[in-house]
Amino acid sequence: MTDWKKDPRLKKLDPKKLEVLTEFSERLKRTPGPQMLSALLSFQMEANQKGIRFSDEETDILVTILSSHMPPSEQKKLSVLKMFSRKMASRRP
């Protein structure tokens, strides 16, 4: 899972955010496949607790990179969750 660090989209990412992402990636390596989705969802909350906020664009990039290592069943769940999230966001006034 170290290849994700070579993604050119990460060059614009704040070094502090990249550090948090690297820590999370290391933890994700030890996470069983069926638990990866919940781990990915908790990542955003943990970053927020550390005062780190990812923009929608950054979040999309991170999810794309990290979910590429998920089993297909978990990727499908994530896809449904992203679709649901976008629908909810579009309903906000």
Coordinates of all heavy atoms in Angstrom, one line a residue:
M1 N 0.8 -1.2 0.0 CA 0.0 0.0 0.0 C 0.9 1.3 0.0 O 0.4 2.3 0.3 CB -0.9 0.0 1.2 CG -2.1 1.0 1.0 SD -3.3 1.0 2.4 CE -4.2 -0.4 2.1
T2 N 2.1 1.1 -0.3 CA 3.0 2.3 -0.3 C 2.9 3.0 -1.7 O 3.3 4.1 -1.8 CB 4.4 1.9 0.0 OG1 4.8 0.9 -1.0 CG2 4.6 1.4 1.4
D3 N 2.4 2.4 -2.7 CA 2.3 3.0 -4.0 C 1.4 4.2 -4.1 O 1.6 5.1 -4.9 CB 1.8 2.0 -5.1 CG 2.9 0.9 -5.4 OD1 4.1 1.1 -5.1 OD2 2.5 -0.1 -5.9
W4 N 0.5 4.3 -3.1 CA -0.4 5.4 -3.1 C 0.3 6.7 -2.9 O -0.1 7.7 -3.3 CB -1.5 5.2 -2.1 CG -1.0 5.2 -0.6 CD1 -0.7 4.1 0.1 CD2 -0.8 6.3 0.2 NE1 -0.3 4.5 1.4 CE2 -0.4 5.9 1.4 CE3 -1.0 7.7 0.0 CZ2 0.0 6.7 2.5 CZ3 -0.7 8.6 1.1 CH2 -0.2 8.1 2.3
K5 N 1.4 6.6 -2.2 CA 2.2 7.8 -2.0 C 2.8 8.5 -3.2 O 3.2 9.6 -3.2 CB 3.4 7.5 -1.0 CG 2.9 7.2 0.4 CD 4.1 6.9 1.3 CE 3.7 6.5 2.6 NZ 4.8 6.2 3.5
K6 N 2.8 7.7 -4.3 CA 3.3 8.2 -5.6 C 2.3 8.9 -6.4 O 2.6 9.4 -7.5 CB 4.0 7.0 -6.4 CG 5.2 6.4 -5.7 CD 5.7 5.3 -6.5 CE 6.9 4.6 -5.7 NZ 7.4 3.4 -6.3
D7 N 1.0 8.9 -6.0 CA 0.0 9.5 -6.7 C 0.2 11.0 -6.9 O 0.4 11.7 -5.9 CB -1.4 9.3 -6.0 CG -2.6 9.6 -6.9 OD1 -2.7 10.8 -7.2 OD2 -3.4 8.8 -7.1
P8 N 0.3 11.5 -8.1 CA 0.6 12.9 -8.3 C -0.3 13.9 -7.7 O 0.0 15.0 -7.4 CB 0.7 13.0 -9.8 CG -0.1 11.9 -10.4 CD 0.1 10.8 -9.3
R9 N -1.6 13.5 -7.5 CA -2.6 14.4 -6.9 C -2.2 14.7 -5.4 O -2.7 15.7 -4.9 CB -4.0 13.7 -6.9 CG -4.4 13.5 -8.4 CD -5.7 12.7 -8.4 NE -5.5 11.4 -7.9 CZ -6.4 10.4 -7.8 NH1 -7.7 10.7 -8.1 NH2 -6.1 9.2 -7.3
L10 N -1.4 13.9 -4.8 CA -1.0 14.2 -3.4 C 0.1 15.3 -3.3 O 0.3 15.7 -2.2 CB -0.5 12.9 -2.8 CG -1.6 11.8 -2.6 CD1 -1.0 10.5 -2.1 CD2 -2.7 12.3 -1.7
K11 N 0.7 15.7 -4.3 CA 1.7 16.7 -4.3 C 1.2 18.0 -3.7 O 2.0 18.8 -3.1 CB 2.4 16.9 -5.6 CG 3.2 15.7 -6.1 CD 3.9 15.9 -7.4 CE 4.5 14.7 -7.9 NZ 5.8 14.5 -8.0
K12 N -0.1 18.3 -3.9 CA -0.7 19.5 -3.4 C -1.1 19.4 -2.0 O -1.5 20.4 -1.4 CB -1.8 19.9 -4.3 CG -1.4 20.3 -5.8 CD -2.6 20.8 -6.5 CE -3.5 19.7 -7.1 NZ -4.6 20.2 -7.8
L13 N -1.1 18.2 -1.4 CA -1.7 18.0 -0.1 C -0.7 18.6 1.0 O 0.5 18.4 0.9 CB -1.8 16.5 0.1 CG -2.7 16.1 1.3 CD1 -4.2 16.6 1.0 CD2 -2.7 14.6 1.4
D14 N -1.3 19.2 1.9 CA -0.6 19.8 3.1 C 0.2 18.7 3.7 O -0.3 17.6 3.9 CB -1.6 20.4 4.0 CG -0.9 21.0 5.3 OD1 -0.5 20.1 6.1 OD2 -0.9 22.2 5.4
P15 N 1.5 18.9 4.1 CA 2.3 17.9 4.7 C 1.7 17.3 6.0 O 1.9 16.1 6.3 CB 3.7 18.6 5.0 CG 3.7 19.8 4.1 CD 2.3 20.1 3.8
K16 N 1.0 18.1 6.7 CA 0.4 17.6 8.0 C -0.7 16.6 7.6 O -0.9 15.6 8.3 CB -0.2 18.8 8.7 CG -0.5 18.5 10.2 CD -0.9 19.8 10.8 CE -1.2 19.6 12.3 NZ -1.6 20.9 12.9
K17 N -1.4 16.9 6.6 CA -2.5 16.0 6.2 C -1.9 14.7 5.6 O -2.4 13.6 5.9 CB -3.4 16.6 5.1 CG -4.2 17.8 5.6 CD -5.0 18.4 4.5 CE -5.9 19.5 5.0 NZ -6.7 20.1 3.9
L18 N -0.8 14.8 4.9 CA -0.1 13.6 4.4 C 0.4 12.8 5.5 O 0.3 11.5 5.4 CB 1.0 14.1 3.4 CG 1.6 13.0 2.6 CD1 0.6 12.2 1.7 CD2 2.7 13.6 1.7
E19 N 0.9 13.4 6.6 CA 1.4 12.6 7.7 C 0.2 11.8 8.3 O 0.4 10.6 8.7 CB 2.0 13.6 8.7 CG 2.5 12.9 10.0 CD 3.1 13.9 11.0 OE1 3.6 14.9 10.6 OE2 3.0 13.6 12.2
V20 N -0.9 12.4 8.5 CA -2.1 11.8 9.1 C -2.5 10.6 8.2 O -2.8 9.5 8.6 CB -3.3 12.8 9.3 CG1 -4.5 12.0 9.7 CG2 -2.9 13.7 10.4
L21 N -2.5 10.9 6.9 CA -2.9 9.9 5.9 C -1.9 8.7 5.9 O -2.3 7.5 5.9 CB -2.9 10.5 4.5 CG -3.3 9.5 3.4 CD1 -4.7 9.0 3.6 CD2 -3.3 10.3 2.1
T22 N -0.6 8.9 6.1 CA 0.4 7.9 6.2 C 0.1 7.0 7.4 O 0.2 5.8 7.3 CB 1.8 8.5 6.2 OG1 2.0 9.2 5.0 CG2 2.8 7.4 6.2
E23 N -0.1 7.7 8.5 CA -0.4 6.9 9.8 C -1.6 6.0 9.6 O -1.6 4.9 10.0 CB -0.7 7.9 10.9 CG 0.5 8.6 11.4 CD 0.2 9.7 12.4 OE1 -0.9 9.7 12.9 OE2 1.1 10.5 12.7
F24 N -2.7 6.6 8.9 CA -3.9 5.8 8.7 C -3.6 4.6 7.8 O -4.1 3.5 8.0 CB -5.0 6.7 8.1 CG -6.2 5.9 7.7 CD1 -7.0 5.4 8.7 CD2 -6.5 5.7 6.4 CE1 -8.2 4.7 8.4 CE2 -7.6 5.0 6.1 CZ -8.4 4.5 7.0
S25 N -2.8 4.9 6.8 CA -2.5 3.8 5.8 C -1.8 2.6 6.5 O -2.1 1.5 6.2 CB -1.6 4.4 4.7 OG -1.2 3.4 3.8
E26 N -0.9 2.9 7.4 CA -0.2 1.9 8.1 C -1.2 1.1 9.0 O -1.1 -0.2 9.0 CB 0.9 2.5 9.0 CG 2.0 3.1 8.3 CD 2.7 2.0 7.4 OE1 3.0 0.9 7.9 OE2 3.0 2.4 6.2
R27 N -2.2 1.7 9.5 CA -3.2 1.0 10.3 C -4.1 0.2 9.4 O -4.5 -0.9 9.8 CB -4.0 2.1 11.1 CG -4.6 1.5 12.3 CD -5.3 2.6 13.2 NE -5.4 3.9 12.5 CZ -6.3 4.7 12.9 NH1 -7.2 4.5 13.8 NH2 -6.5 5.9 12.2
L28 N -4.4 0.7 8.3 CA -5.3 0.0 7.3 C -4.7 -1.3 6.8 O -5.4 -2.2 6.5 CB -5.6 1.0 6.1 CG -6.8 0.7 5.3 CD1 -8.0 0.7 6.1 CD2 -6.9 1.7 4.2
K29 N -3.3 -1.3 6.8 CA -2.7 -2.6 6.4 C -3.0 -3.7 7.3 O -3.0 -4.9 6.9 CB -1.1 -2.4 6.4 CG -0.6 -1.5 5.3 CD 0.9 -1.5 5.4 CE 1.5 -0.5 4.5 NZ 3.0 -0.3 4.7
R30 N -3.3 -3.4 8.5 CA -3.6 -4.5 9.5 C -5.1 -4.7 9.7 O -5.5 -5.4 10.6 CB -2.9 -4.1 10.9 CG -1.4 -3.9 10.8 CD -0.8 -3.6 12.2 NE -1.2 -2.3 12.7 CZ -0.7 -1.1 12.4 NH1 0.3 -1.0 11.6 NH2 -1.2 0.0 13.0
T31 N -5.9 -4.0 8.9 CA -7.3 -4.1 9.1 C -7.9 -5.2 8.2 O -7.6 -5.2 7.0 CB -8.0 -2.8 8.7 OG1 -7.4 -1.7 9.5 CG2 -9.5 -2.8 8.9
P32 N -8.6 -6.1 8.7 CA -9.2 -7.2 7.9 C -10.2 -6.5 6.9 O -10.8 -5.5 7.1 CB -10.0 -8.0 8.9 CG -9.5 -7.7 10.2 CD -9.0 -6.3 10.1
G33 N -10.3 -7.2 5.7 CA -11.1 -6.6 4.6 C -12.5 -6.2 4.9 O -12.8 -5.0 4.6
P34 N -13.2 -7.0 5.7 CA -14.6 -6.5 6.0 C -14.7 -5.3 6.9 O -15.7 -4.7 7.0 CB -15.2 -7.8 6.7 CG -14.4 -8.9 6.2 CD -13.0 -8.3 6.0
Q35 N -13.6 -5.0 7.5 CA -13.6 -3.8 8.4 C -13.0 -2.6 7.8 O -12.9 -1.5 8.4 CB -12.8 -4.2 9.7 CG -13.5 -5.2 10.5 CD -12.7 -5.7 11.7 OE1 -11.7 -5.1 12.0 NE2 -13.1 -6.7 12.4
M36 N -12.5 -2.7 6.6 CA -11.9 -1.5 5.9 C -12.8 -0.3 5.7 O -12.4 0.8 5.9 CB -11.3 -1.9 4.6 CG -10.0 -2.8 4.7 SD -9.3 -3.1 3.1 CE -7.6 -3.0 3.5
L37 N -14.0 -0.6 5.4 CA -14.9 0.5 5.2 C -15.2 1.3 6.4 O -15.1 2.5 6.4 CB -16.3 0.0 4.6 CG -17.3 1.1 4.3 CD1 -16.8 2.1 3.3 CD2 -18.6 0.5 3.8
S38 N -15.4 0.6 7.5 CA -15.6 1.3 8.8 C -14.3 2.1 9.2 O -14.4 3.2 9.8 CB -16.1 0.4 9.9 OG -15.2 -0.6 10.2
A39 N -13.2 1.5 8.9 CA -11.9 2.1 9.3 C -11.8 3.4 8.4 O -11.3 4.5 8.9 CB -10.7 1.2 9.0
L40 N -12.1 3.3 7.2 CA -12.0 4.5 6.3 C -13.0 5.6 6.8 O -12.6 6.8 6.8 CB -12.4 4.1 4.8 CG -12.1 5.1 3.8 CD1 -10.7 5.6 3.7 CD2 -12.5 4.5 2.4
L41 N -14.2 5.2 7.2 CA -15.1 6.2 7.7 C -14.6 6.9 9.0 O -14.8 8.1 9.2 CB -16.5 5.6 7.8 CG -17.2 5.1 6.6 CD1 -18.4 4.3 6.9 CD2 -17.4 6.2 5.6
S42 N -14.0 6.1 9.8 CA -13.5 6.7 11.1 C -12.3 7.6 10.9 O -12.1 8.5 11.7 CB -13.2 5.6 12.1 OG -12.1 4.9 11.7
F43 N -11.6 7.4 9.8 CA -10.4 8.2 9.5 C -10.8 9.7 9.5 O -10.1 10.5 10.1 CB -9.8 7.8 8.2 CG -8.8 8.7 7.6 CD1 -7.6 8.9 8.3 CD2 -9.0 9.5 6.5 CE1 -6.6 9.8 7.8 CE2 -8.1 10.4 6.0 CZ -6.9 10.5 6.7
Q44 N -11.8 10.0 8.8 CA -12.2 11.4 8.7 C -12.6 12.0 10.0 O -12.1 13.1 10.3 CB -13.4 11.6 7.7 CG -13.8 13.0 7.5 CD -13.1 13.6 6.3 OE1 -12.7 12.9 5.4 NE2 -13.0 14.9 6.2
M45 N -13.3 11.3 10.9 CA -13.6 11.8 12.2 C -12.3 12.0 13.0 O -12.2 12.9 13.8 CB -14.5 10.8 12.9 CG -15.9 10.8 12.3 SD -17.2 9.9 13.2 CE -16.4 8.2 13.2
E46 N -11.4 11.0 12.9 CA -10.2 11.1 13.7 C -9.3 12.4 13.2 O -8.8 13.1 14.1 CB -9.3 9.9 13.5 CG -9.9 8.7 14.3 CD -9.1 7.4 14.0 OE1 -7.9 7.5 13.7 OE2 -9.7 6.3 14.1
A47 N -9.3 12.6 11.9 CA -8.6 13.7 11.4 C -9.2 15.0 12.0 O -8.5 16.0 12.4 CB -8.6 13.7 9.9
N48 N -10.6 15.1 12.0 CA -11.3 16.2 12.5 C -10.9 16.5 13.9 O -10.8 17.6 14.3 CB -12.8 16.1 12.3 CG -13.3 16.3 10.9 OD1 -12.6 16.8 10.1 ND2 -14.5 15.8 10.6
Q49 N -10.8 15.4 14.7 CA -10.5 15.6 16.1 C -9.1 16.2 16.3 O -8.8 16.8 17.3 CB -10.6 14.2 16.8 CG -12.0 13.8 17.0 CD -12.1 12.4 17.6 OE1 -11.1 11.7 17.7 NE2 -13.3 12.0 17.9
K50 N -8.2 15.9 15.3 CA -6.8 16.5 15.3 C -6.8 17.9 14.7 O -5.7 18.5 14.6 CB -5.9 15.6 14.6 CG -5.7 14.2 15.2 CD -4.7 13.4 14.5 CE -4.5 12.0 15.1 NZ -3.6 11.2 14.4
G51 N -8.0 18.4 14.3 CA -8.0 19.7 13.8 C -7.7 19.8 12.3 O -7.4 20.8 11.7
I52 N -7.7 18.6 11.6 CA -7.4 18.5 10.2 C -8.7 18.3 9.4 O -9.4 17.4 9.7 CB -6.4 17.4 9.9 CG1 -5.1 17.7 10.7 CG2 -6.2 17.2 8.5 CD1 -4.1 16.6 10.6
R53 N -8.9 19.2 8.5 CA -10.1 19.1 7.7 C -9.7 18.9 6.2 O -8.8 19.6 5.7 CB -10.9 20.4 7.7 CG -11.3 20.9 9.1 CD -12.6 20.2 9.6 NE -13.1 20.8 10.9 CZ -12.7 20.4 12.1 NH1 -11.8 19.4 12.2 NH2 -13.2 20.9 13.1
F54 N -10.3 17.9 5.6 CA -10.0 17.6 4.2 C -11.2 18.2 3.4 O -12.3 18.1 3.7 CB -9.9 16.1 3.9 CG -8.7 15.5 4.5 CD1 -8.8 14.9 5.8 CD2 -7.5 15.5 3.9 CE1 -7.7 14.3 6.4 CE2 -6.4 14.9 4.4 CZ -6.5 14.3 5.7
S55 N -10.8 18.9 2.3 CA -11.8 19.5 1.4 C -12.5 18.3 0.7 O -12.1 17.1 0.8 CB -11.2 20.3 0.3 OG -10.4 19.6 -0.6
D56 N -13.7 18.6 0.0 CA -14.4 17.5 -0.7 C -13.5 16.9 -1.7 O -13.5 15.7 -1.9 CB -15.6 18.1 -1.3 CG -16.7 18.4 -0.3 OD1 -16.6 18.0 0.9 OD2 -17.6 19.2 -0.7
E57 N -12.7 17.7 -2.4 CA -11.8 17.2 -3.5 C -10.7 16.3 -2.9 O -10.4 15.2 -3.4 CB -11.1 18.4 -4.2 CG -10.2 17.9 -5.3 CD -9.5 19.1 -6.0 OE1 -9.8 20.3 -5.7 OE2 -8.7 18.8 -6.9
E58 N -10.1 16.8 -1.7 CA -9.1 15.9 -1.1 C -9.7 14.6 -0.6 O -9.1 13.6 -0.8 CB -8.5 16.7 0.1 CG -7.6 17.9 -0.3 CD -7.3 18.7 0.9 OE1 -8.0 18.7 1.9 OE2 -6.2 19.4 0.7
T59 N -10.9 14.7 0.0 CA -11.5 13.5 0.5 C -11.8 12.5 -0.7 O -11.5 11.3 -0.5 CB -12.8 13.8 1.2 OG1 -12.5 14.7 2.3 CG2 -13.5 12.6 1.7
D60 N -12.2 13.0 -1.8 CA -12.5 12.2 -2.9 C -11.2 11.5 -3.4 O -11.2 10.3 -3.7 CB -13.1 13.0 -4.1 CG -13.8 12.1 -5.1 OD1 -14.4 11.1 -4.7 OD2 -13.6 12.4 -6.3
I61 N -10.1 12.2 -3.5 CA -8.8 11.7 -3.9 C -8.4 10.6 -2.9 O -8.0 9.5 -3.3 CB -7.8 12.8 -4.0 CG1 -8.1 13.7 -5.2 CG2 -6.4 12.1 -4.1 CD1 -7.2 14.9 -5.2
L62 N -8.5 10.9 -1.6 CA -8.1 9.9 -0.6 C -8.9 8.6 -0.6 O -8.3 7.5 -0.5 CB -8.2 10.5 0.8 CG -7.3 11.8 1.0 CD1 -7.6 12.3 2.4 CD2 -5.9 11.6 0.8
V63 N -10.2 8.8 -0.7 CA -11.1 7.6 -0.8 C -10.8 6.8 -2.0 O -10.7 5.6 -1.9 CB -12.6 8.0 -0.8 CG1 -13.5 6.9 -1.1 CG2 -12.9 8.6 0.6
T64 N -10.5 7.4 -3.1 CA -10.2 6.7 -4.4 C -8.9 5.9 -4.2 O -8.8 4.7 -4.6 CB -10.1 7.7 -5.6 OG1 -11.3 8.4 -5.7 CG2 -9.7 6.9 -6.8
I65 N -7.9 6.6 -3.7 CA -6.6 5.9 -3.5 C -6.7 4.7 -2.5 O -6.3 3.6 -2.8 CB -5.5 6.9 -3.0 CG1 -5.2 7.9 -4.1 CG2 -4.3 6.2 -2.6 CD1 -4.4 9.1 -3.7
L66 N -7.3 5.0 -1.3 CA -7.3 4.0 -0.3 C -8.3 2.9 -0.6 O -8.0 1.7 -0.2 CB -7.6 4.6 1.1 CG -6.5 5.6 1.6 CD1 -7.0 6.2 2.8 CD2 -5.2 4.9 1.8
S67 N -9.4 3.2 -1.2 CA -10.4 2.1 -1.5 C -9.9 1.2 -2.6 O -10.4 0.1 -2.7 CB -11.7 2.7 -1.9 OG -11.7 3.4 -3.1
S68 N -8.9 1.6 -3.4 CA -8.4 0.7 -4.4 C -7.8 -0.6 -3.8 O -7.6 -1.6 -4.5 CB -7.4 1.4 -5.3 OG -6.2 1.7 -4.5
H69 N -7.5 -0.6 -2.5 CA -6.9 -1.8 -1.9 C -8.0 -2.6 -1.1 O -7.7 -3.5 -0.5 CB -5.8 -1.3 -0.9 CG -4.7 -0.6 -1.6 ND1 -3.8 -1.3 -2.4 CD2 -4.4 0.7 -1.7 CE1 -3.0 -0.4 -2.9 NE2 -3.3 0.8 -2.5
M70 N -9.3 -2.1 -1.2 CA -10.3 -2.8 -0.5 C -10.8 -4.0 -1.4 O -10.7 -3.9 -2.6 CB -11.5 -1.9 -0.3 CG -11.3 -0.8 0.7 SD -12.8 0.2 0.8 CE -12.6 1.0 2.3
P71 N -11.4 -5.0 -0.7 CA -12.0 -6.1 -1.5 C -13.2 -5.5 -2.3 O -13.8 -4.5 -1.8 CB -12.5 -7.0 -0.4 CG -11.8 -6.6 0.9 CD -11.4 -5.2 0.7
P72 N -13.6 -6.1 -3.4 CA -14.7 -5.6 -4.2 C -16.0 -5.4 -3.4 O -16.7 -4.5 -3.7 CB -14.8 -6.7 -5.3 CG -13.5 -7.3 -5.4 CD -12.9 -7.3 -4.0
S73 N -16.3 -6.3 -2.5 CA -17.5 -6.1 -1.7 C -17.5 -4.8 -0.9 O -18.5 -4.2 -0.8 CB -17.7 -7.3 -0.8 OG -16.7 -7.4 0.1
E74 N -16.4 -4.5 -0.4 CA -16.3 -3.2 0.4 C -16.3 -2.0 -0.5 O -16.8 -1.0 -0.2 CB -15.0 -3.2 1.3 CG -15.0 -4.3 2.4 CD -16.1 -4.1 3.3 OE1 -16.1 -3.1 4.1 OE2 -17.0 -5.0 3.4
Q75 N -15.7 -2.1 -1.7 CA -15.7 -1.0 -2.7 C -17.2 -0.7 -3.1 O -17.5 0.4 -3.2 CB -14.9 -1.4 -3.9 CG -13.4 -1.4 -3.6 CD -12.6 -1.7 -4.9 OE1 -13.1 -2.0 -6.0 NE2 -11.3 -1.8 -4.7
K76 N -17.9 -1.8 -3.2 CA -19.4 -1.6 -3.6 C -20.1 -0.9 -2.5 O -20.9 0.0 -2.7 CB -20.0 -2.9 -3.9 CG -21.4 -2.8 -4.4 CD -22.0 -4.1 -4.9 CE -23.4 -3.9 -5.4 NZ -23.9 -5.1 -6.0
K77 N -19.9 -1.3 -1.2 CA -20.5 -0.6 -0.1 C -20.1 0.9 -0.1 O -20.9 1.8 0.2 CB -20.1 -1.2 1.2 CG -20.7 -2.6 1.4 CD -20.2 -3.2 2.7 CE -20.5 -4.6 2.9 NZ -19.9 -5.2 4.2
L78 N -18.8 1.2 -0.3 CA -18.4 2.5 -0.3 C -19.0 3.3 -1.4 O -19.4 4.5 -1.3 CB -16.8 2.6 -0.5 CG -16.2 3.9 -0.4 CD1 -16.5 4.6 0.9 CD2 -14.7 3.8 -0.6
S79 N -19.2 2.7 -2.6 CA -19.8 3.4 -3.7 C -21.3 3.8 -3.4 O -21.7 4.9 -3.7 CB -19.8 2.5 -4.9 OG -20.5 3.0 -6.0
V80 N -22.0 2.9 -2.7 CA -23.3 3.2 -2.3 C -23.3 4.3 -1.3 O -24.2 5.2 -1.4 CB -24.0 1.9 -1.8 CG1 -25.3 2.2 -1.1 CG2 -24.2 0.9 -2.9
L81 N -22.4 4.3 -0.4 CA -22.3 5.3 0.7 C -22.0 6.7 0.0 O -22.6 7.7 0.4 CB -21.2 4.9 1.7 CG -21.1 5.9 2.9 CD1 -22.4 5.9 3.7 CD2 -19.9 5.4 3.7
K82 N -21.1 6.7 -0.9 CA -20.8 8.0 -1.6 C -22.0 8.5 -2.3 O -22.3 9.7 -2.3 CB -19.6 7.8 -2.6 CG -18.3 7.7 -1.9 CD -17.1 7.2 -2.7 CE -16.9 7.8 -4.0 NZ -15.7 7.4 -4.8
M83 N -22.7 7.6 -3.0 CA -23.9 8.1 -3.7 C -25.0 8.7 -2.7 O -25.6 9.7 -3.0 CB -24.5 6.9 -4.5 CG -25.8 7.3 -5.3 SD -26.4 5.9 -6.2 CE -27.0 4.9 -4.9
F84 N -25.2 8.0 -1.6 CA -26.1 8.4 -0.6 C -25.7 9.8 0.0 O -26.5 10.7 0.1 CB -26.2 7.4 0.5 CG -27.1 7.8 1.6 CD1 -28.5 7.8 1.5 CD2 -26.5 8.2 2.9 CE1 -29.3 8.1 2.6 CE2 -27.4 8.5 3.9 CZ -28.7 8.5 3.8
S85 N -24.4 9.9 0.2 CA -23.8 11.1 0.8 C -24.1 12.3 -0.2 O -24.4 13.4 0.3 CB -22.4 11.0 1.1 OG -21.8 12.1 1.5
R86 N -23.8 12.1 -1.5 CA -24.0 13.2 -2.4 C -25.5 13.6 -2.5 O -25.8 14.8 -2.7 CB -23.5 12.7 -3.8 CG -22.0 12.7 -3.9 CD -21.5 12.4 -5.3 NE -20.1 12.4 -5.3 CZ -19.3 11.4 -5.7 NH1 -19.8 10.3 -6.2 NH2 -18.0 11.5 -5.6
K87 N -26.4 12.6 -2.4 CA -27.8 12.9 -2.5 C -28.2 13.7 -1.3 O -29.0 14.7 -1.4 CB -28.7 11.6 -2.5 CG -28.7 11.0 -3.9 CD -29.6 9.8 -3.9 CE -29.6 9.2 -5.3 NZ -30.6 8.1 -5.4
M88 N -27.7 13.4 -0.1 CA -28.0 14.1 1.1 C -27.4 15.5 1.0 O -28.1 16.5 1.4 CB -27.5 13.4 2.4 CG -28.1 12.1 2.6 SD -29.9 12.2 2.9 CE -29.9 13.0 4.5
A89 N -26.2 15.7 0.5 CA -25.6 17.0 0.4 C -26.4 17.9 -0.6 O -26.5 19.1 -0.4 CB -24.2 16.9 -0.1
S90 N -27.0 17.3 -1.6 CA -27.7 18.1 -2.6 C -29.0 18.6 -2.1 O -29.6 19.5 -2.6 CB -27.9 17.3 -3.9 OG -28.8 16.2 -3.7
R91 N -29.5 18.0 -1.0 CA -30.8 18.3 -0.4 C -30.7 19.5 0.6 O -31.7 20.0 1.0 CB -31.5 17.1 0.3 CG -31.9 16.1 -0.7 CD -32.5 15.0 0.0 NE -32.9 14.0 -1.0 CZ -33.5 12.8 -0.7 NH1 -33.7 12.5 0.6 NH2 -33.8 11.9 -1.6
R92 N -29.4 19.7 1.0 CA -29.2 20.8 2.0 C -29.6 22.2 1.4 O -29.2 22.4 0.2 CB -27.8 20.8 2.5 CG -27.5 19.6 3.3 CD -26.1 19.8 3.9 NE -25.7 18.5 4.4 CZ -24.5 18.0 4.4 NH1 -23.5 18.7 3.8 NH2 -24.2 16.8 4.9
P93 N -30.2 23.0 2.2 CA -30.5 24.4 1.6 C -29.3 25.2 1.4 O -28.3 25.1 1.9 CB -31.4 25.0 2.7 CG -31.3 24.1 3.9 CD -30.6 22.8 3.5

